[in-house]
Amino acid sequence: MSKPSKARFGALGELSKPAAPAPAAPVVQVEEKLEPFSTTLYGKTKVLLKKAAAEERRKQYELLEDALAEYLAKNHPDLK
C-alpha cells in the first residue's frame, strides 16, 4: 500500500477549518409536547397546504402552527 498523497487529500484540511460563523437562527421555544390534532379542510386548501409545505421544506403542522399563532396574536392578544 502506498501512503496517501498530500496533494490528493490536502483539500480535506480546508474543510475542517471553521468557516465564518453562521447567522443565528431564530430561537423557537417549545412550549410543551406536541399533541395530536385533527381537522377537516376543503380539498383545494389541503392541496395548497401540501404544496406550500413542500416548497418551504417544512412540515404541514409547522405552517398551521405559524398561521394559528399569528391569528391568535392579532385577533386575541388577551389569550396567553
Side-chain angles (χ1 to χ4, degrees), residues 7-69:
R8 181 174 173 198
F9 296 103
L12 292 177
E14 296 296 319
L15 295 176
S16 63
K17 290 183 182 174
V27 177
V28 177
Q29 295 181 358
V30 178
E31 296 174 4
E32 57 187 64
K33 185 176 110 179
L34 293 174
E35 295 184 24
F37 175 74
S38 178
T39 189
T40 305
L41 297 172
Y42 291 107
K44 175 116 178 146
T45 304
K46 188 175 177 182
V47 169
L48 293 174
L49 175 62
K50 284 185 175 193
K51 287 181 179 180
E55 187 176 296
E56 294 182 24
R57 294 184 178 188
R58 297 172 63 196
K59 302 285 186 182
Q60 293 176 33
Y61 77 85
E62 293 173 328
L63 271 59
L64 291 172
E65 180 71 29
D66 287 350
L68 284 170

Side-chain angles (χ1 to χ4, degrees), residues 1-10:
M1 288 208 128
S2 65
K3 188 175 173 183
S5 167
K6 186 172 185 179
R8 181 174 173 198
F9 296 103

